[in-house]
């Protein structure tokens, strides 16, 4: 897994609530058997109109917006457990998703793929969306070590929470399998005690 | 001794170890897999040269992208066929039991595992599918996981998890005629919202759930994820034990008796504290229907769509082509789907058949009746329900996830409404541009007969014991 420490980038605003994983990657694209290439179909049915033309009203298609941070409305990633959603976002180029609330399974999947979910307050989310809308060149700074997210060249800053174990994993690029494999003996002992 | 909840008891019995200030290592009893969320996990283990730790605790089925007609023929879609082939090869290479397409035990993972007795009280069960919460109906801790976690369970039969908070939803009283378990859960989600359960594991308590069949309990627990809860549980009782007893993989004889004795210790202790509680009255619940693009956007079938001034709400209504304040009664519907891991069990088809018997499907309606498993399909035939459906102009399809997520050919055309017994009304969930209206199997059956949404409570239909 790729390491994550700090990131400074412009951001793409997606002020929609309850964005479910069916929108992030529609089910018809889940037939692949590897992890690559899902970015092409990220938000497919929002990025393209019914006739296949590009939907210029959608933030990801608006030239003024770019960057590796996605700022989205409340309850991001709800619905299906498909990890393909996290793969689609990372493959599209996102490294951070900011929202005022994340669905559990998506949050876990993101963390397992080096995609940092940054949960901010409702008020701070409004500030971010507003700042980006006012000036699409606005840069956000995410510091995982200090657990802060701020708007560059302003005093807007907020602390965010992250599980300390997951933080260590992200900073070092470790994944859970490495850790669990190191506990095999304990796991076998547990099995023996139960039977 | 401190008072424990059902969830605490099952969780605590599975903790192998804990990281200081971090997650716990939770042991997983059963790992269910299917073709869509497992291939990348198999690949990862292979690439890292890690063997599957406990293949005998894994059960596989093919369900998500399988066709629901002509299952005896090769799967037409190239990518689906490849994905199914990969599942077969992966299971074979790793000594994992697979009930592939056509097998007598094949079916939707959350239908076939309970009916085979694989799902039992007090277990920890995971699957790369968010509706794994279904199995909580037996008093097990069951939840959906991502593919990285599928790989973790493959490698270690464990997961690293932070213990969720506890939530209890109590519904007391007697349900009105025509109100089904699906209406109960749609009502709860409409009341508390789609993220009220996020970070929590939910226990459903009260008369309504105690008096519910296992099929009904599974419908309720299935949709726990739609209010954000990773899982939902119902305390095991005699109804649970009777259901599990004598099933293919259930413990037998003395083993079963010993297990029952243990399962009886699992219900929440009197006085145990929950982090959050909600209480509702059964009498307030009516047949439900959704009007928007998330399962929390539900109303009583006779109510009008609420009037909120909110961008996400308006976006949702625009997608559905509904207006604020509008009633859905008499709305023409051309598609009806009875199926999915929420409502594809025998009881769901019994209630639909009761309504349909002696009537005719409306000409404008295309209806897909998709049993949850081969066993449900056989039961439908044995009980004579298939002929009731056929006499009314319906055709019974073969088992699978089907139009719930439209990965196979069962897609609702763009712009069309579908009254569906499935679990998600997200944009495009049943096919690009499709518009889903979630409802119970009774409401779905009535819609298929009338060709439009009707108030089932105003008909003279009285459900018999199912």
């Amino acid at each position: 897994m790729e390491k994550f420490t700090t990131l400074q980038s412009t951001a793409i605003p997606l002020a929609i609530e309850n964005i479910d994983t069916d929108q992030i990657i529609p089910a018809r694209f889940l037939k692949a058997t590897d992890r690559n290439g899902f970015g092409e179909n990220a938000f497919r049915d929002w990025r393209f109109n019914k006739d296949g033309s590009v939907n210029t009203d959608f933030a990801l298609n608006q030239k003024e917006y770019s960057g590796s941070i996605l700022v989205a409305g409340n309850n991001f990633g709800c619905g299906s457990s498909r990890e393909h959603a996290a793969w689609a976002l990372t493959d599209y180029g996102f490294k951070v998703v900011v929202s005022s609330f994340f669905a559990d399974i998506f949050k876990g999947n993101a963390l397992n793929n080096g995609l940092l979910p940054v949960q901010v307050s409702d008020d701070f989310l409004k500030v971010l969306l507003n700042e980006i809308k006012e000036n699409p060149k606005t840069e956000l700074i995410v510091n995982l070590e200090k657990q802060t997210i701020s708007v560059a060249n302003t005093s807007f800053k907020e602390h965010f929470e992250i599980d300390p174990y997951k933080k260590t994993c992200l900073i070092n690029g470790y994944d859970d399998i490495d850790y669990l494999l190191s506990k095999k003996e304990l796991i076998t002992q547990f099995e023996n005690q139960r039977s | 001794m401190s008072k424990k909840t059902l969830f605490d008891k099952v969780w605590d019995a599975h903790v192998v170890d804990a990281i200081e200030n971090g997650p716990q290592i939770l042991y997983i009893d059963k790992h269910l897999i299917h073709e869509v969320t497992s291939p990348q996990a198999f690949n990862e283990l292979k690439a890292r040269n890690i063997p599957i730790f406990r293949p005998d605790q894994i059960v596989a089925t093919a369900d998500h992208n399988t066709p629901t007609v002509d299952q005896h023929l090769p799967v037409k879609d190239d990518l689906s066929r490849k994905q199914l082939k990969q599942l077969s090869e992966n299971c074979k290479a790793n000594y994992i039991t697979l009930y592939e397409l056509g097998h007598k035990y094949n079916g939707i993972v959350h239908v076939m595992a309970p009916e085979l007795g694989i799902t039992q009280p007090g277990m920890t069960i995971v699957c790369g599918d968010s509706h794994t919460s279904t199995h909580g109906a037996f008093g097990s801790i069951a939840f959906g996981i991502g593919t990285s976690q599928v790989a973790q369970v493959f490698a270690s039969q464990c997961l690293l998890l932070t213990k969720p908070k506890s939530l209890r939803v109590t519904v007391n009283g007697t349900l009105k005629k025509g109100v089904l378990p699906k209406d109960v859960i749609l009502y709860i989600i409409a009341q508390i919202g789609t993220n009220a359960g996020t970070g929590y594991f939910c226990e459903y308590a009260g008369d309504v759930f105690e008096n519910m069949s296992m099929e009904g309990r599974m419908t309720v627990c299935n949709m726990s994820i739609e209010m954000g809860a990773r899982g939902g549980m119902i305390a095991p009782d005699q109804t649970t034990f009777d259901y599990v007893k004598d099933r293919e993989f259930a413990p037998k004889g003395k083993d079963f008796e010993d297990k029952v004795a243990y399962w009886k210790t699992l219900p929440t202790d009197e006085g145990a504290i929950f982090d959050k509680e909600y209480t509702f009255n059964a009498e307030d619940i009516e047949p439900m229907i959704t009007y928007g693009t998330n399962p929390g956007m539900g109303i009583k079938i006779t109510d009008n769509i609420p009037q909120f001034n909110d961008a996400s709400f308006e976006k949702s209504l625009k997608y559905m082509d509904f207006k604020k304040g509008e009633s859905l009664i008499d709305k023409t519907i051309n598609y009806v789907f009875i199926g999915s891991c929420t409502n594809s069990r025998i009881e769901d088809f019994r209630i639909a058949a009761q309504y349909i018997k002696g009537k005719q499907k409306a000409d404008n309606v295309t209806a897909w009746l998709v049993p949850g498993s081969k066993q449900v399909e056989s039961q439908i035939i044995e009980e004579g329900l298939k002929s009731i459906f056929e006499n009314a102009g319906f055709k019974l399809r073969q088992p699978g996830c089907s139009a719930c997520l439209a990965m196979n050919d069962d897609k609702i055309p763009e712009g069309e409404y579908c009254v569906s017994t499935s679990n998600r009304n997200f944009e495009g969930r049943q096919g690009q541009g499709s518009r889903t209206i979630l409802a119970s199997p009774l409401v779905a059956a009535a819609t298929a007969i009338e060709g439009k949404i009707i108030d089932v409570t105003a008909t003279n239909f009285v459900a018999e014991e199912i």
Side-chain angles (χ1 to χ4, degrees):
Chain A
M1 198 169 73
E2 232 177 280
K3 294 179 185 182
F4 188 105
T5 46
T6 59
L7 176 71
Q8 176 158 355
S9 167
T10 50
I12 301 180
L14 214 51
I16 302 167
E17 292 182 3
N18 295 309
I19 295 178
D20 58 78
T21 52
D22 272 82
Q23 306 317 314
I24 302 172
I25 183 82
R28 63 184 186 280
F29 301 116
L30 305 185
K31 293 178 183 176
T33 51
D34 59 33
R35 292 181 182 222
N36 308 319
F38 288 101
E40 195 187 323
N41 296 314
F43 295 107
R44 181 79 195 191
D45 295 339
W46 285 354
R47 276 165 60 206
F48 297 94
N49 293 317
K50 286 163 189 168
D51 61 5
S53 60
V54 172
N55 173 12
T56 49
D57 291 338
F58 186 56
L60 265 69
N61 293 330
Q62 290 170 332
K63 288 205 172 61
E64 61 266 40
Y65 299 123
S66 64
S68 50
I69 301 177
L70 182 67
V71 181
N74 192 46
N75 201 24
F76 186 85
C78 57
S80 158
S81 61
R82 59 188 71 164
E83 193 161 315
H84 311 68
W87 302 335
L89 293 174
T90 52
D91 193 49
Y92 191 86
F94 291 113
K95 294 187 184 324
V96 170
V97 187
V98 182
S99 176
S100 52
F101 202 86
F102 289 96
D104 277 339
I105 304 179
F106 174 79
K107 194 188 208 172
N109 288 342
L111 289 165
N112 283 333
N113 286 280
L115 175 68
L116 180 64
V118 174
Q119 188 167 327
V120 297
S121 65
D122 287 324
D123 287 343
F124 196 73
L125 181 68
K126 276 184 202 145
V127 168
L128 294 180
L129 289 169
N130 208 30
E131 289 289 311
I132 299 164
K133 207 176 151 195
E134 295 278 303
N135 176 13
K137 297 271 174 282
T138 300
E139 293 201 335
L140 307 184
I141 304 166
V142 178
N143 186 322
L144 178 57
E145 187 68 54
K146 292 184 178 155
Q147 295 178 223
T148 57
I149 174 165
S150 51
V151 181
N153 308 316
T154 70
S155 60
F156 295 124
K157 189 175 194 172
E158 196 169 85
H159 179 85
F160 65 87
E161 294 299 327
I162 182 168
D163 180 283
Y165 165 79
K166 275 295 173 193
K167 180 176 170 180
T168 311
C169 286
L170 280 172
I171 290 172
N172 297 295
Y174 296 157
D175 70 18
D176 290 356
I177 290 190
D178 300 324
Y179 183 84
L180 287 166
L181 287 176
S182 74
K183 297 287 175 182
K184 267 255 176 94
E185 206 172 314
L186 210 58
I187 295 167
T188 310
Q189 243 176 45
F190 176 87
E191 288 178 323
N192 294 337
Q193 279 164 7
R194 294 176 86 211
S195 52
Chain B
M1 218 175 77
S2 66
K3 316 265 190 223
K4 283 183 163 191
T5 65
L6 162 65
F7 177 78
D8 290 334
K9 292 180 193 182
V10 181
W11 178 278
D12 293 352
H14 290 85
V15 175
V16 175
D17 197 17
I19 300 175
E20 211 180 318
N21 297 321
Q24 295 173 316
I25 301 179
L26 192 78
Y27 190 80
I28 303 303
D29 293 319
K30 284 284 177 237
H31 186 190
L32 309 171
I33 62 169
H34 59 82
E35 73 276 23
V36 177
T37 58
S38 67
Q40 291 87 350
F42 278 112
N43 290 348
E44 180 164 359
L45 259 70
K46 205 171 170 187
R48 292 165 76 163
N49 204 18
I50 302 168
I52 305 256
F53 186 50
R54 295 289 179 246
D56 54 343
Q57 284 168 245
I58 306 171
V59 177
T61 184
D63 57 3
H64 276 64
N65 68 26
T66 54
T68 56
V69 288
D70 295 334
Q71 289 188 349
H72 60 290
L73 299 175
V75 175
K76 278 189 214 150
D77 180 83
D78 284 347
L79 287 172
S80 298
R81 196 174 59 246
K82 191 179 156 217
Q83 208 172 36
L84 291 164
K85 186 166 167 256
Q86 195 152 347
L87 180 71
S88 302
E89 287 169 0
N90 282 331
C91 288
K92 200 171 173 197
N94 292 288
Y95 309 101
I96 293 167
T97 304
L98 163 67
Y99 301 122
E100 57 194 341
L101 205 55
H103 191 283
K104 65 175 180 175
Y105 292 158
N106 175 260
I108 304 175
V109 62
H110 311 309
V111 177
M112 53 74 73
E115 74 186 2
L116 286 172
I118 294 168
T119 303
Q120 294 164 27
M123 280 183 166
T124 48
I125 302 170
V126 295
C127 174
D129 187 287
S130 62
H131 292 110
T132 308
S133 58
T134 310
H135 308 261
F138 292 77
S140 60
I141 290 184
F143 53 92
I145 56 177
T147 298
S148 294
Q149 290 175 308
V150 171
Q152 290 162 26
V153 183
F154 278 166
S156 68
Q157 205 55 37
C158 287
L159 281 173
L160 276 173
L161 296 166
T162 304
K163 190 176 177 180
K165 289 183 277 188
S166 61
L167 158 70
R168 180 161 62 185
V169 176
T170 306
V171 187
N172 280 317
T174 309
L175 292 175
K176 292 180 189 168
K177 294 277 182 220
V179 175
L180 301 188
K182 180 63 165 289
D183 299 308
V184 175
I185 189 64
L186 284 174
Y187 176 82
I188 293 170
I189 301 167
Q191 293 293 314
I192 70 177
T194 49
N195 64 13
T198 307
Y200 294 84
F201 228 84
C202 178
E203 179 175 343
Y204 301 95
D207 313 335
V208 163
F209 305 109
E210 285 166 22
N211 296 330
M212 219 175 244
S213 66
M214 287 315 294
E215 285 83 356
R217 292 179 189 182
M218 283 189 256
T219 298
V220 170
C221 290
N222 172 277
M223 289 191 70
S224 302
I225 185 70
E226 311 313 336
M227 58 185 189
R230 199 83 184 255
M233 301 174 91
I234 293 173
D237 58 9
Q238 199 57 45
T239 305
T240 323
F241 311 146
D242 291 346
Y243 181 98
V244 175
K245 193 171 194 283
D246 298 330
R247 289 191 182 257
E248 184 72 20
F249 299 105
K252 302 283 174 345
K254 172 84 168 62
D255 276 356
F256 182 76
E257 298 311 318
D258 290 349
K259 283 285 187 194
V260 169
Y262 168 62
W263 295 340
K264 283 182 174 171
T265 68
L266 294 175
T268 294
D269 295 332
E270 188 83 32
I273 308 287
F274 286 80
D275 295 307
K276 191 150 88 170
E277 295 230 38
Y278 295 100
T279 304
F280 300 106
N281 294 320
E283 289 78 9
D284 293 338
I285 308 175
E286 304 264 349
M288 297 286 293
I289 203 152
T290 63
Y291 59 86
T293 56
N294 73 58
M297 299 175 86
I299 48 174
K300 292 173 183 172
I301 198 163
T302 51
D303 276 355
N304 295 344
I305 293 173
Q307 314 205 27
F308 299 122
N309 294 317
D310 163 284
S312 294
F313 180 83
E314 283 163 1
K315 178 180 186 295
S316 190
L317 284 197
K318 188 178 170 210
Y319 181 85
M320 294 299 290
D321 196 22
F322 288 151
K323 291 175 191 66
K324 293 179 188 179
E326 187 180 14
S327 162
L328 296 184
I329 297 290
D330 289 337
K331 186 71 83 182
T332 301
I333 302 293
N334 296 330
Y335 287 84
V336 170
F337 172 55
I338 301 182
S340 87
C341 58
T342 312
N343 284 120
S344 64
R345 298 181 181 83
I346 190 64
E347 278 194 357
D348 302 316
F349 291 97
R350 283 184 193 145
I351 192 87
Q354 276 186 28
Y355 188 89
I356 287 169
K357 194 174 184 177
K359 301 186 179 83
Q360 280 299 311
K361 180 181 76 64
D363 289 340
N364 63 309
V365 169
T366 301
W368 292 329
L369 273 53
V370 184
S373 70
K374 288 295 275 185
Q375 297 208 77
V376 173
E377 183 188 23
S378 309
Q379 218 172 336
I380 289 172
I381 297 167
E382 275 163 32
E383 293 186 10
L385 309 183
K386 189 181 177 187
S387 42
I388 293 176
F389 295 135
E390 284 174 351
N391 290 340
F394 293 89
K395 191 172 168 263
L396 187 69
R397 297 173 83 90
Q398 291 173 299
C401 296
S402 179
C404 174
L405 83 167
M407 270 193 84
N408 66 358
D409 290 338
D410 306 346
K411 293 176 178 25
I412 308 301
E414 188 183 319
E416 289 285 355
Y417 293 110
C418 177
V419 170
S420 175
T421 66
S422 55
N423 39 58
R424 287 184 175 138
N425 48 354
F426 298 153
E427 286 184 28
R429 172 79 179 182
Q430 298 193 284
Q432 266 181 285
S434 63
R435 295 168 171 150
T436 304
I437 296 170
L438 301 176
S440 77
L442 174 59
V443 169
T447 307
I449 295 297
E450 301 297 332
K452 60 183 184 178
I453 295 173
I454 61 155
D455 175 11
V456 280
T457 60
T459 65
N460 54 10
F461 175 74
V462 180
E464 295 158 35
E465 193 66 33
I466 50 171

